[in-house]
């Protein structure tokens, strides 16, 4: 048995990445050290279809998961006997994809007797912000007081108020998207423009170097009256997608052709850069509003879209202006990975939680009750 007494294996298969990691939570369960972090991405499998095909995703997880798991243990320099806990994403996500990870984790737990827990995917994303790299560096530490978590991914766009209670975290959802998630909007707009899947990173890269005019798209401002006196803020990204589609149609702007160099298409770059600017502004404004109105001074921004260069710089500038501390994980841990699941599992295990073999994959699991 290793001197490191709290090694947690994290398994993530909720969408199109098969990811397994071993983290060491012995010294700091809130900021565990990542010993290994292996990801088999299915992007090339799904790209020809313009999005994730659930059936293909589950089948590929089945093929890849045992290999990715063996590789994660080997890179961490440990064996299964050294592991003290197993964590697996049990929801939300694609049900077939989740089932592969959950069944695999159950088999490992049954065969070895190692305690295991199901983890909420978004809890994992938040815990990614506090992961420690092997060299000891980390994006930041978890604030002691309640903080705001902005979760922006391909499937989710929400703001949570996060409260601490020992090893447990209480998530109160204070805003969510009423329609598309921000990452979904990036991917759909990219598809309209003729970019491959996923388009978010491509739009980011193209807009970063583009210096010309940008199309000024209208910004959605959403206030949802919950039926009571409370007015909640929300996000909406379906309007901007429609605006982009209409703009392309009314200007008869052709898509980027296969093999065409985007640099020769300033018309399209102006659309993409304008869309990104608008999308980022629509993420920023409710986030800063919630911090202000709730009197909170700490923000954690996570999920695939938090890789976006413009969103990162705009959030940093706004937080600095308003005296808010900001923690954003490195891009490697902003998108789906196994380390974030291991980190969330480490906290749950430390709190004494255990799941049984009756744990079910829950494709629409909720993290919190609405505020
Ligand atoms: O968190 P994630 O890996 O998976 C989900 O849980 O959904 O997020 C994937 C999403 C995709 O929609 C992708 O286009 C978007 O994150 N994304 C980005 C960037 N990198 C990834 N969107 C904008 N800018 C980026 N740099
Ligand atoms: Zn995710």
């Amino acid at each position: 048995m290793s001197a490191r007494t709290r090694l947690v294996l994290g398994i993530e298969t909720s969408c199109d990445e098969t990811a397994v990691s071993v983290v060491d939570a012995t010294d700091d369960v809130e900021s565990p050290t990542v010993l290994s972090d292996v990801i088999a991405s299915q992007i090339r499998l799904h790209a020809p279809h313009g999005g994730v095909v659930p059936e293909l995703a589950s089948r590929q997880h089945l093929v890849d998961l045992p290999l990715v798991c063996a590789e994660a243990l080997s890179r961490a320099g440990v064996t299964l006997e050294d592991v003290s806990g197993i964590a697996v994403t049990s929801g939300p996500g694609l049900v077939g994809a989740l089932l592969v990870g959950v069944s695999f984790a159950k088999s490992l737990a049954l065969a070895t007797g190692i305690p295991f827990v199901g983890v909420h995917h978004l809890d994992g994303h938040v815990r990614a912000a506090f992961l420690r790299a092997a060299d000891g560096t980390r994006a930041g530490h978890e604030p002691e007081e309640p903080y705001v978590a902005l979760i922006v991914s391909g499937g989710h766009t929400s703001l949570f108020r996060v409260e601490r209670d020992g090893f447990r975290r209480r998530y109160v959802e204070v805003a969510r998207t009423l329609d598309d998630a921000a990452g979904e909007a990036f991917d759909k707009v990219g598809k309209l423009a003729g970019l491959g899947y996923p388009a978010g990173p491509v739009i980011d890269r193209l807009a970063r170097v583009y210096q010309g005019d940008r199309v000024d798209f209208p910004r959605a401002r959403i206030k949802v009256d919950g039926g009571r006196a409370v007015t909640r803020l929300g996000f909406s990204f379906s309007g901007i997608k429609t605006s982009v589609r209409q703009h392309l149609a009314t200007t008869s702007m052709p898509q980027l052709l296969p093999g065409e160099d985007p640099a020769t298409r300033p018309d399209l770059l102006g659309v993409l850069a304008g869309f990104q600017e608008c999308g980022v502004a629509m993420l920023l404004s409710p986030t800063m509003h919630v911090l202000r109105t709730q009197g909170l001074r700490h923000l954690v921004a996570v999920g695939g879209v938090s890789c976006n260069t413009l969103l990162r710089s705009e959030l940093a500038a706004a937080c600095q202006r308003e005296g808010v501390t900001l923690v954003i994980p490195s891009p490697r841990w902003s998108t789906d990975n196994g380390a974030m699941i291991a980190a969330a599992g480490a906290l749950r295990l430390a709190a004494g939680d255990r799941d049984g073999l009756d744990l079910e994959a829950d494709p629409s699991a909720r993290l919190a009750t609405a505020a």
Side-chain angles (χ1 to χ4, degrees):
M1 182 73 184
S2 159
R4 297 171 298 192
T5 52
R6 252 192 222 165
L7 297 190
V8 180
L9 183 79
I11 300 168
E12 156 64 36
T13 64
S14 69
C15 191
D16 59 348
E17 324 269 14
T18 315
V20 183
S21 160
V22 179
V23 303
D24 184 351
T26 312
D27 296 330
D28 188 350
V29 72
E30 287 176 358
S31 277
T33 301
V34 181
L35 301 184
S36 68
D37 172 27
V38 182
I39 301 180
S41 172
Q42 300 181 357
I43 283 179
R44 277 200 281 169
L45 177 72
H46 300 291
H49 305 279
V52 178
V53 183
E55 176 67 21
L56 293 181
S58 328
R59 289 189 199 192
Q60 199 60 41
H61 286 309
L62 267 178
V63 174
D64 289 338
L65 184 51
L67 304 170
V68 171
C69 183
E71 181 68 18
L73 289 166
S74 147
R75 286 197 201 171
V78 299
T79 64
L80 211 46
E81 285 96 76
D82 299 316
V83 169
S84 57
I86 296 170
V88 60
T89 307
S90 53
L94 303 169
V95 68
L98 289 167
L99 268 172
V100 176
V102 169
S103 310
F104 186 81
K106 280 185 195 175
S107 332
L108 285 184
L110 186 64
T112 59
I114 300 171
F116 91 109
V117 283
V119 162
H120 195 285
H121 183 76
L122 297 187
D123 187 19
H125 271 301
V126 173
R127 299 317 305 172
F130 315 119
L131 286 171
R132 212 184 283 267
D135 65 3
T137 55
R138 58 177 169 170
H141 63 84
E142 186 172 17
E144 286 294 331
E145 33 189 295
Y147 57 94
V148 173
L150 168 66
I151 304 185
V152 262
S153 70
H156 302 271
T157 301
S158 291
L159 285 165
F160 291 94
R161 177 190 168 96
V162 189
E163 291 162 12
R164 300 166 57 123
D165 175 14
F167 291 123
R168 298 191 191 281
R169 299 295 176 265
R170 195 170 99 88
Y171 290 90
V172 181
E173 191 173 56
V174 287
R176 63 164 28 216
T177 181
L178 303 178
D179 38 61
D180 292 349
E184 202 178 343
F186 269 90
D187 295 338
K188 285 180 177 171
V189 163
K191 199 170 176 180
L192 290 173
L195 307 179
Y197 172 85
V202 184
I203 294 176
D204 185 3
R205 190 161 36 79
L206 294 174
R208 209 179 308 152
V209 290
Y210 174 71
Q211 301 287 343
D213 291 341
R214 284 140 205 258
V215 179
D216 195 10
F217 290 110
R219 292 168 191 192
R221 294 176 69 84
I222 309 295
K223 276 194 172 174
V224 190
D225 187 340
R228 288 165 283 148
V230 200
T231 301
R232 297 207 298 124
L233 276 170
F235 300 97
S236 170
F237 290 96
S238 71
I240 183 163
K241 184 191 62 195
T242 309
S243 300
V244 171
R245 183 186 289 118
Q246 280 169 350
H247 183 89
L248 296 177
T250 52
T251 57
S252 305
M253 196 182 293
Q255 283 194 331
L256 191 73
L257 299 172
E260 192 178 12
D261 179 3
T264 63
R265 291 292 307 278
D267 55 340
L268 207 55
L269 292 177
V271 169
L272 296 175
F275 156 74
Q276 175 174 271
E277 203 166 77
C278 176
V280 165
M282 291 194 307
L283 286 169
L284 201 68
S285 145
T287 304
M288 300 318 290
H289 181 89
V290 162
L291 282 157
R292 240 176 272 129
T293 53
Q294 301 230 349
L296 301 179
R297 301 180 301 135
H298 305 278
L299 175 66
V300 172
V302 295
V305 182
S306 73
C307 292
N308 186 269
T309 322
L310 183 66
L311 178 62
R312 282 180 175 243
S313 63
E314 294 281 312
L315 279 175
C319 287
Q320 191 171 20
R321 263 196 317 272
E322 308 214 7
V324 169
T325 69
L326 172 66
V327 183
I328 306 186
S330 74
R332 165 73 173 176
W333 292 326
S334 293
T335 50
D336 292 351
N337 62 83
M340 70 187 205
I341 303 305
L347 263 192
R348 287 205 49 206
L349 289 161
D353 292 347
R354 302 285 182 270
D355 278 311
L357 294 176
D358 56 348
L359 174 73
E360 287 185 16
D362 180 357
S364 50
R366 295 296 300 265
L367 181 60
T369 48

